[in-house]
Amino acid sequence: MTRPDVLMLAPMLPATMDKLDEAFTVHRIWEASDPDAALREVAPRIRGIALSTSSPRRADTALFDLLPNLEIISGFGVGYDNVDAREAGERGVIVTNTPDVLNDEVADLAIGLLIATLRQIPQSDRYLRAGRWLEKPFPLSATLRERKIGIIGLGRIGKAIAQRLEGFGVHIAYHGRTRQDGVTYAYHPTLIGMAEAVDVLIAITPGGAGTRHLVNADVLRALGPQGVLINVARGSVVDERALIEALKSGTILTAGLDVFDDEPRVPQELIDMDHVVLLPHVASASVHTRNGMGQLLVDNLTSWFAGKGPVTPVPETPWKK
Ligand code: A2R
């Protein structure tokens, strides 16, 4: 039996690439001296894409037009704003992602980032290493005590964050487009309303056009001078310019950011601020969880080409037998 031809536009974990090699004929396009020419050469044979989050190009109309026999795009990560899933659906191409296997890891990191930001853990580490403890104690920090936390996007990961926060004895609220059944946290139909009611916002929605600049200058103003923004969603969810201004002017207290608008480039103004905590998009980035995500990516392709349908299709491309 011939092995399906699968396109890769950027590298993945070695363990994931080994598994792909076992089952498919994999075309590692970035290794070619002329990737565009190499892509054109293999294009008619390509039936699947294993799409890395570090792919230099989006999976959109321009790419679909090149690949007449494309059946499935198996994406790495739960977010798939690097795929035009609606367009894929219209062309009968299945899109899959890797939900659930990263919920706990991302939720752990979100809590770690929240506490690191409030209690200034990276700053106090830098303080000790610079020998400044020998001169005087580190200044007192802000606190998580008595805080009200608003989760923007109480989905799979948002719920895992809320579950952890319950253990901290803080008040929990959420905002989304719909109120959820069976959830006891306070629901806010508007983000502005929630920002006024809480003093920490944790963003964990998908990226893309629907959530672009959801957290804007008005929301930050409503959050207020003791306010903290934690972003583990996508850089595009926050108006980064408005955030920088709010941090500079004291409109909010501080921010903990794992994601940025133009990754891996981070605005120098943020880098120059000592009171914020900045991480290089590491929320799901443990060996354990990244391998789990890679396995699910492979499972989606394997299941599809065995005629059993995708394992985790995205809502825009539901699987109908
Ligand atoms: O709006 P709802 O009720 O459908 O709630 C979803 C919420 N959400 C939004 N909230 C406010 N405004 C919007 N325009 C909006 N669009 C979506 O985000 C839902 O509660 C949540 C997403 O949950 P899940 O689909 O279960 O995603 P999961 O696995 O929690 O991952 C969230 C995101 C990924 O897409 C990556 O961007 C990031 O976390 O790693």
Side-chain angles (χ1 to χ4, degrees):
M1 213 179 79
T2 55
R3 291 145 61 94
D5 288 77
V6 168
L7 176 68
M8 288 187 77
L9 299 159
M12 290 188 186
L13 295 174
T16 306
M17 300 224 282
D18 288 349
K19 288 192 175 116
L20 289 169
D21 280 332
E22 279 167 26
F24 311 110
T25 300
V26 181
H27 301 276
R28 296 171 159 76
I29 224 69
W30 72 94
E31 288 177 351
S33 53
D34 182 347
D36 286 341
L39 177 57
R40 280 194 301 276
E41 206 269 308
V42 298
R45 303 202 295 277
I46 297 299
R47 295 174 62 199
I49 301 177
L51 190 66
S52 156
T53 33
S54 58
S55 169
R57 65 188 293 171
R58 278 190 98 223
D60 58 12
T61 305
L63 183 63
F64 301 155
D65 281 347
L66 286 174
L67 307 174
N69 294 309
L70 184 63
E71 298 167 33
I72 181 169
I73 301 164
S74 183
F76 187 86
V78 63
Y80 51 98
D81 36 316
N82 58 345
V83 182
D84 186 342
R86 197 177 303 267
E87 177 66 24
E90 276 170 20
R91 292 171 184 241
V93 173
I94 291 281
V95 178
T96 63
N97 62 347
T98 62
D100 289 317
V101 290
L102 43 53
N103 294 353
D104 288 333
E105 203 73 80
V106 175
D108 289 352
L109 194 281
I111 299 294
L113 181 55
L114 170 63
I115 295 177
T117 304
L118 281 164
R119 302 300 312 278
Q120 301 194 295
I121 295 174
Q123 293 89 336
S124 51
D125 176 277
R126 292 199 288 270
Y127 187 90
L128 180 153
R129 289 170 198 271
R132 297 175 62 193
W133 191 17
L134 296 166
E135 297 158 17
K136 57 181 181 183
F138 187 72
L140 302 185
S141 72
T143 182
L144 181 60
R145 299 298 91 225
E146 296 172 11
R147 284 208 176 248
K148 294 182 175 168
I149 319 270
I151 298 174
I152 313 171
L154 193 73
R156 289 169 293 233
I157 302 172
K159 287 194 178 74
I161 294 173
Q163 197 183 38
R164 283 157 176 73
L165 285 173
E166 285 183 25
F168 289 91
V170 290
H171 179 272
I172 303 168
Y174 74 102
H175 163 70
R177 293 162 301 179
T178 46
R179 181 193 291 272
Q180 301 194 28
D181 294 336
V183 168
T184 54
Y185 313 127
Y187 173 63
H188 292 268
T190 68
L191 180 51
I192 282 274
M194 182 164 82
E196 279 166 358
V198 302
D199 48 20
V200 176
L201 288 176
I202 301 180
I204 185 64
T205 60
T211 56
R212 185 173 157 73
H213 291 188
L214 208 55
V215 178
N216 57 24
D218 292 341
V219 170
L220 295 168
R221 208 170 302 117
L223 187 59
Q226 289 307 310
V228 178
L229 173 71
I230 302 296
N231 189 5
V232 281
R234 285 288 185 265
S236 60
V237 175
V238 175
D239 179 343
E240 208 165 69
R241 180 62 10 225
L243 174 62
I244 290 169
E245 290 310 318
L247 288 164
K248 274 187 178 168
S249 62
T251 301
I252 66 168
L253 183 67
T254 179
L257 308 172
D258 186 43
V259 286
F260 303 87
D261 234 357
D262 186 26
E263 296 173 13
R265 284 160 293 277
V266 174
Q268 191 61 39
E269 285 160 292
L270 285 175
I271 291 173
D272 289 342
M273 288 179 198
D274 192 50
H275 71 305
V276 299
V277 177
L278 310 174
L279 301 181
H281 201 156
V282 293
S284 68
S286 70
V287 174
H288 169 89
T289 293
R290 286 287 170 88
N291 278 331
M293 293 160 65
Q295 183 64 55
L296 185 49
L297 172 142
V298 175
D299 290 347
N300 269 296
L301 290 170
T302 309
S303 176
W304 175 260
F305 288 116
K308 297 178 192 159
V311 183
T312 47
V314 303
E316 292 88 337
T317 67
W319 169 233
K320 300 180 209 86
K321 274 203 175 142

